[in-house]
Amino acid sequence: MDLTWSASEESFRAECRSWLEEHVPRPGLPSGDTSEGFALHLEWERLLHRDRWAVVSWPEAYGGRGASLWEWLIFEEEYYRVGAPQRVTQNGIFLLAPTIFEFGTPAQQDHYLTRMSSAEDLWCQGWSEPNAGSDLAGITSRAARDDAAGGWRLTGQKTWTTRGAFCTHLFGLFRTDPDAERHRGLTYFLVPLDAEGVTVRGFGRLDGDEGFAEVFLDDVFVPDGDTDPAGGGTLGAVDQGWGVAMATTTSERGLTLRSPGRFRATAGRLVDLAREVDASGCLSELVADRVADAWIDAEAYALFTLGDVTDIVEGRSPGARSSYNKIFWSELDVRLHEVALELLGADAELDGPWMKGYEFALSGPIYAGTNEIQRNIVAERVLGLPRK
Amino acid sequence: MRFAPTEDQVDFRDAVRALLADTCPPEAVRAAWGGRVGEETGGGGGDGRVRAAWSALAEMGVLGVLVPESAGGLGLDDEDMVPLLVECGRAALPDPVTATAYVAAATLRDVGGEVADGWLPRLAAGEVAVAAGPLGDAPLAGALTADAFLVGDDAVLRWIPAGDVELEPLESVDGSRGLARLRGAATAGTALVEGPAAATVSAAAADRAALGAAAELVGLSERMLAMTVAYASERRQFGVPIGSFQAVKHQLADASLAVAFAAPLVLRAANSLAHGDPDAGLHVSMAKAKASSAARTAADASLQCHGAIGYTVEYDLHLFMKRAWALSAQAGGPDQHRARVRAALGLR
């Protein structure tokens, strides 16, 4: 074991820290889930991109720095430590991009990746449908072949689409083989939201902001995109979309979306709050214990992640174990906020940052495969309990 | 940065796991029980020792991992030792490996002197067993067969050869503990360290006792879960294996989650102790608090998912469960260790 950072990693950290401290907006930005807030977040995203901090682990050709996974962790730690804004581009960068890197044609990679890191194209995900949430394989939105026009015609409805009302593109699964069932006969599509036949209706999430959208597709034409990916197209092989999509859900559940930096930063703020309450003589031992416990859990998550990164760097895939991460960080995030609200006493109900954060945290155990689904995965694929 | 055991450490751990699977199967643990598990279950009459396992461990070098090479040991550190204690937990080995080969070996190595010179080679060779703990009233595991006692507080750390102190035997819920209280320890044996330095050395010994218990708890938890997964996959009710029920799956997933996130805390604390990190004590407390809670969760889930068979002494689960109960509370329970974390965070 070696729990020290190298000199070059330390200097990378120093560079992150000094840039972030100089550029992070003060006071923080309003929620990115309103149109005004989203616009301000876009300015921030473009600033990150200008100085090559938007996608540090990507190749330089697409706006990154070719940073190692360790450096990415360091960046994330510094990013949240300084209280920088939530990334409104994260669904594209963390969910779609790994799939494009793995399955995209060279033309798709060249077209999409830079436009994504520069926040010119803003991606939302089109997985869930009104009748297909946890049971994702039950999706019914379909894509019919239009050979004459050289493409596909998409029809159906996607929902719970995060920031759909503010995005420019959607990625998601559509049924291309109407006779196939469940996981078969699905294809991964990239769809510009300004295409004819697309209607997007934003609606309020739990916190009241317009962070969700329904996306209606009515005979939307998407060209094959082999020669010019600008109009959208398929990603990966036709009818093989489930396997292609699983590559991104693994990213989402696992390491890539949820670095420990965020939770350690929240735990640090929780401890600060507890100290304030303690100074006024109002901290009960019971709540102090819960603070300590949540803080330990944030540290445990950070260490667990170091183990994951070690495995990945050395060529051992965490595989189904990534379901552990998702359950743990999402429930930890809720707990951190619950304890903070308890510390706030009667002020808890004020619509302040802890309540906002609490509302946000509550989505974690639900999205990206509910934690009930994740527990099934742990039980069946990690522990080896029988499916039936 | 690299957060994983080395290849050598993995190989050593695997070898110890295999060795203990051979020499310390549940029947051996059962036979080490002192009274209550009675003859009818093939147990009882033991003294809390599985000597076949102990001598095999000595032969493999496990008991001398921390003992300097000059004294016949391997001269390795906490990071090498702690994964092996996880394996002792997995086997529910009742013998005092933590007290002897971890707490006592590291303490004698660090304080040096005549006692160390005399005892360390015998420790490494497996000739002697040590019981260790705070100086005071706390029950000491392995006391009934110990050749020496290592007990300390802020003012003094004492080394007491067996026979120089009176024992008050105690019955533990885990009949293999060989538990006793010492009488008159405050004036018995030799003072290894006295004065202000004693606090530091005693604290280091207490930290290693706590981390050793935490490591054993991780192993015990993983074993209980493995037993329960195996049982729930076989046992059929309503025409299907009970492990296919979501209520069973989710309990076991939760327990396995608790253990999975306690284990890295244990590894990190070992790294901190090995390198003299000033936060090592905090890291130990984080590990022990979480390993104790995780073991409770794993024991509860295992018992519940086994149903009535788990609630018997004929079945092996209780051997592991009772050890987990004992170790959760030993060397500081979760509450005590959380209190240390609270203090480190500057909270009341």
Side-chain angles (χ1 to χ4, degrees), chain B residues 44-96:
Chain B
D47 63 356
R49 303 294 300 274
V50 180
R51 288 188 172 73
W54 182 262
S55 48
L57 287 173
E59 199 161 313
M60 193 178 261
V62 174
L63 301 181
V65 166
L66 293 184
V67 174
E69 287 177 275
S70 58
L74 299 178
L76 300 172
D77 66 23
D78 302 76
E79 276 183 40
D80 302 292
M81 188 69 213
V82 164
L84 310 183
L85 298 174
V86 173
E87 297 312 315
C88 293
R90 193 184 312 280
L93 176 71
D95 298 56

Side-chain angles (χ1 to χ4, degrees), chain A residues 289 314 324 375-376 380, chain B residues 2 249-250 254 256 342:
Chain A
D289 259 354
E314 296 181 357
Y324 274 140
R375 284 183 164 86
N376 289 349
E380 291 164 13
Chain B
R2 186 178 185 282
K249 281 181 179 164
H250 287 194
D254 278 336
S256 116
R342 282 201 324 250

Side-chain angles (χ1 to χ4, degrees), chain B residues 289-300:
Chain B
K290 284 295 170 182
S292 295
S293 311
R296 284 272 173 186
T297 307
D300 290 351

Side-chain angles (χ1 to χ4, degrees), chain B residues 8-343:
Chain B
D8 283 351
Q9 286 162 349
V10 170
D11 290 346
F12 202 0
R13 178 199 70 191
D14 290 349
V16 170
R17 186 180 300 184
L19 178 146
L20 290 173
D22 281 347
T23 56
C24 186
E27 310 86 79
V29 179
R30 196 177 280 279
W33 270 56
R36 291 201 303 177
V37 173
E39 300 72 44
E40 70 276 13
T41 61
D47 63 356
R49 303 294 300 274
V50 180
R51 288 188 172 73
W54 182 262
S55 48
L57 287 173
E59 199 161 313
M60 193 178 261
V62 174
L63 301 181
V65 166
L66 293 184
V67 174
E69 287 177 275
S70 58
L74 299 178
L76 300 172
D77 66 23
D78 302 76
E79 276 183 40
D80 302 292
M81 188 69 213
V82 164
L84 310 183
L85 298 174
V86 173
E87 297 312 315
C88 293
R90 193 184 312 280
L93 176 71
D95 298 56
V97 178
T98 290
T100 306
Y102 190 37
V103 181
T107 306
L108 292 178
R109 175 197 67 187
D110 293 346
V111 303
E114 212 172 288
V115 172
D117 291 346
W119 287 82
L120 278 173
R122 304 177 64 200
L123 245 68
E127 292 166 17
V128 292
V130 181
L135 181 57
D137 253 1
L140 296 187
L144 295 181
T145 58
D147 299 287
F149 299 93
L150 177 68
V151 287
D153 60 17
D154 283 353
V156 64
L157 184 70
R158 307 195 77 83
W159 182 263
I160 311 173
D164 289 5
V165 68
E166 199 185 322
L167 298 182
E168 177 197 333
L170 298 163
E171 201 157 329
S172 166
V173 66
D174 171 358
S176 66
R177 294 277 287 164
L179 210 60
R181 243 192 277 278
L182 305 190
R183 288 176 191 268
T187 53
T190 316
L192 281 180
V193 190
E194 277 180 294
T200 316
V201 183
S202 290
D207 279 341
R208 288 198 166 93
L211 185 59
E216 290 189 57
L217 285 164
V218 167
L220 283 160
S221 303
E222 289 178 355
R223 178 69 173 269
M224 288 189 283
L225 285 173
M227 288 174 75
T228 310
V229 166
Y231 180 77
S233 303
E234 293 286 313
R235 169 75 172 165
R236 297 175 75 88
Q237 289 287 275
F238 306 100
V240 293
I242 59 169
S244 66
F245 297 131
Q246 210 168 38
V248 171
K249 281 181 179 164
H250 287 194
Q251 278 198 59
L252 295 177
D254 278 336
S256 116
L257 202 69
V259 181
F261 284 87
L265 291 166
V266 171
L267 269 192
R268 196 265 293 264
N271 175 271
S272 303
L273 281 171
H275 294 94
D277 187 313
D279 285 332
L282 168 64
H283 296 162
V284 166
S285 283
M286 292 161 71
K288 181 61 165 64
K290 284 295 170 182
S292 295
S293 311
R296 284 272 173 186
T297 307
D300 290 351
S302 296
L303 177 59
Q304 187 64 29
C305 294
H306 269 90
I309 186 78
Y311 197 76
T312 68
V313 290
E314 272 85 8
Y315 193 78
D316 290 334
L317 178 66
H318 82 108
L319 301 170
F320 298 87
M321 192 164 66
K322 289 170 182 168
R323 182 73 53 77
W325 296 346
L327 292 180
S328 293
Q330 275 302 319
D335 205 45
Q336 189 179 329
H337 284 288
R338 259 200 308 268
R340 182 146 73 146
V341 176
R342 282 201 324 250

Side-chain angles (χ1 to χ4, degrees), chain A residues 204-367:
Chain A
R205 293 196 312 197
L206 185 63
D207 60 10
D209 292 337
E210 200 184 336
F212 270 153
E214 291 175 298
V215 180
F216 300 91
L217 301 106
D218 181 13
D219 206 30
V220 175
F221 180 71
V222 174
D224 284 330
D226 293 344
T227 45
D228 178 15
T234 55
L235 182 58
V238 170
D239 291 344
Q240 302 299 316
W242 184 262
V244 177
M246 282 305 112
T248 55
T249 53
T250 304
S251 307
E252 184 181 14
R253 278 173 198 161
L255 175 71
T256 29
L257 186 58
R258 291 298 173 248
S259 66
R262 191 177 120 203
F263 310 108
R264 291 181 86 189
T266 307
R269 283 195 288 277
L270 174 65
V271 170
D272 289 343
L273 177 64
R275 284 188 190 132
E276 281 172 37
V277 174
D278 200 11
S280 64
C282 301
L283 183 66
S284 79
E285 218 165 272
L286 201 70
V287 180
D289 259 354
R290 294 183 62 199
V291 172
D293 220 41
W295 181 83
I296 298 172
D297 280 339
E299 291 294 299
Y301 183 66
L303 292 165
F304 192 88
T305 308
L306 293 179
D308 273 350
V309 174
T310 303
D311 282 350
I312 292 167
V313 165
E314 296 181 357
R316 299 180 296 269
S317 161
R321 254 168 43 104
S322 61
S323 287
Y324 274 140
N325 302 43
K326 198 270 170 166
I327 299 170
F328 195 82
W329 65 250
S330 60
E331 295 178 6
L332 166 62
D333 201 22
V334 172
R335 214 152 55 236
L336 287 163
H337 288 87
E338 277 173 351
V339 179
L341 293 176
E342 193 151 345
L343 283 166
L344 287 173
D347 282 353
E349 70 169 294
L350 299 179
D351 200 16
W354 282 110
M355 182 54 85
K356 278 271 182 215
Y358 179 55
E359 288 178 316
F360 182 76
L362 285 172
S363 65
I366 298 170
Y367 69 72

